[in-house]
């Protein structure tokens, strides 16, 4: 029988907590490191529905990307709050956010691997924001062959399985592209300063689309959920290899919280 501590030790090698941003919250946020771990459920967000599913399926541990407790201003927790409900039901919650974004083999590297063949990504030129000597947020890459923005948009939508992809066509073939998972639109100006013809992430706000229009570069919004949920099958495989006796499964109740009308 594994313990929460054993899983934490594995995750420390996968997404070291020392890489966590100072305004982030990560690690064991609910439960005890001495708790048993027979069944582990993976998700992007720990919601009330996710906790109820975990309880129904007798999961001992939930591992998520987004922290179940994030806001430092949180002053009380009831059983209506996901953290309170998880504690009541005896489910430990492990959350790895920014550390999983930038770790070797983390979400940024996963994005590169997924996009490499369909977009023809070539050499990695560097991070958009350096965190330490060999880690950072986002990547900028050469492309092996120029790709028209509309064609790139279709490839990105298919790669991430987006219901909708928002984009602006900068009017020129893409020779260099930058990207970051989730709400990384704050790095869009950095990408263009570094010479990218295009920038891809989730949650791109209106003023970044206006900047792309004014400055003549392409921008792609594949959605926060779709650019980050990609970590689940990768982490599931790694956990299964490390803990063959554990039952590890994906939360079926974890889905894109937004609905779309076409």
């Amino acid at each position: 029988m594994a313990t929460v501590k054993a899983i934490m030790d594995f995750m420390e090698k996968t997404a070291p907590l020392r890489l966590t941003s100072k305004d982030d919250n990560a690690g064991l946020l609910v439960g005890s490191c001495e708790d048993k771990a027979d069944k582990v459920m993976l998700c992007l967000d720990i919601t009330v529905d996710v906790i109820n599913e975990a309880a129904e399926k007798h999961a001992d541990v939930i591992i998520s990307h987004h922290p179940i407790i994030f806001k430092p201003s949180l002053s009380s927790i009831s059983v209506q709050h996901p953290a309170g409900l998880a504690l009541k039901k005896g489910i430990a919650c492990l959350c790895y956010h920014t550390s999983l974004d930038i770790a070797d083999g983390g979400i940024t590297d996963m994005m590169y691997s997924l996009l490499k063949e369909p977009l023809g990504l070539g050499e990695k030129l560097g991070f958009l924001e350096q965190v330490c000597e060999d880690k950072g947020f986002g990547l900028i890459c050469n492309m092996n062959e120029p790709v028209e923005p509309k064609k790139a948009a279709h490839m990105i939508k298919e790669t991430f399985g987006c219901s909708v992809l928002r984009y602006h066509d900068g009017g020129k073939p893409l020779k260099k592209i930058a990207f970051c998972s989730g709400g990384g639109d704050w790095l869009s100006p950095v990408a263009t300063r570094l010479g990218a013809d295009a920038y891809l992430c989730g949650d791109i706000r209106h003023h970044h689309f206006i900047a792309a229009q004014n400055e003549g570069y392409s921008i792609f919004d594949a959605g926060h959920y779709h650019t980050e949920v990609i970590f689940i099958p990768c982490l599931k495989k790694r956990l299964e290899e490390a803990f063959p006796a554990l039952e590890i499964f994906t939360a079926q109740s974890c889905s894109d919280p937004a609905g779309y009308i076409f």
Side-chain angles (χ1 to χ4, degrees), residues 195-210:
D197 303 306
Y199 184 60
L200 158 67
C201 76
D203 294 342
I204 297 178
R205 288 167 289 178
H206 181 76
H207 67 277
H208 290 297
F209 276 97
I210 293 298

Side-chain angles (χ1 to χ4, degrees), residues 49-244:
D49 288 342
V50 165
I51 294 165
N52 285 331
E53 180 186 349
E56 289 169 8
K57 295 178 178 178
H58 307 290
D60 311 293
V61 182
I62 300 174
I63 302 177
S64 74
H65 181 48
H66 293 142
I68 189 171
I69 302 171
F70 188 56
K71 293 183 179 179
S73 59
L74 189 66
S75 57
S76 64
I77 296 177
S78 70
V79 291
Q80 281 74 45
H81 188 282
L85 185 61
L87 193 61
K88 179 182 178 182
K89 291 183 178 290
I91 300 170
C93 297
L94 296 171
C95 309
Y96 297 87
H97 193 205
T98 47
S99 62
L100 186 58
D101 286 324
I102 67 175
D104 291 334
I107 294 178
T108 299
D109 286 340
M110 294 174 194
M111 287 185 75
Y112 177 84
S113 296
L114 285 173
L115 292 167
K116 185 176 181 178
E117 186 172 342
L119 279 186
L121 298 186
E123 178 190 8
K124 296 178 183 179
L125 301 176
F127 303 110
L128 298 182
E129 181 178 285
Q130 197 87 15
V131 173
C132 53
E133 185 177 348
D134 59 348
K135 304 286 188 300
F137 289 105
L139 281 175
I140 183 167
C141 307
N142 281 326
M143 301 179 72
N144 292 325
E145 298 289 341
V147 178
E148 293 297 327
K150 187 173 183 180
K151 183 178 180 180
H154 283 289
M155 290 174 173
I156 291 166
K157 183 177 185 295
E158 183 177 352
T159 296
F160 291 103
C162 311
S163 301
V164 170
L165 184 135
R166 301 164 64 227
Y167 83 106
H168 172 74
D169 186 333
K172 60 185 178 183
L174 311 183
K175 298 178 181 178
K176 190 180 293 185
I177 188 169
F179 53 86
C180 182
S181 63
D185 70 348
W186 52 282
L187 290 170
S188 178
V190 178
T192 57
R193 284 200 302 271
L194 293 174
D197 303 306
Y199 184 60
L200 158 67
C201 76
D203 294 342
I204 297 178
R205 288 167 289 178
H206 181 76
H207 67 277
H208 290 297
F209 276 97
I210 293 298
Q213 185 179 42
N214 287 334
E215 297 172 30
Y217 61 90
S218 296
I219 198 163
F220 304 93
D221 183 344
H224 198 124
Y225 174 85
H226 290 94
T227 58
E228 292 190 331
V229 75
I230 60 173
F231 89 91
I232 290 179
C234 299
L235 182 59
K236 182 175 184 291
K237 183 179 179 181
R238 295 176 195 174
L239 283 165
E240 287 171 341
E241 291 171 352
F243 300 97

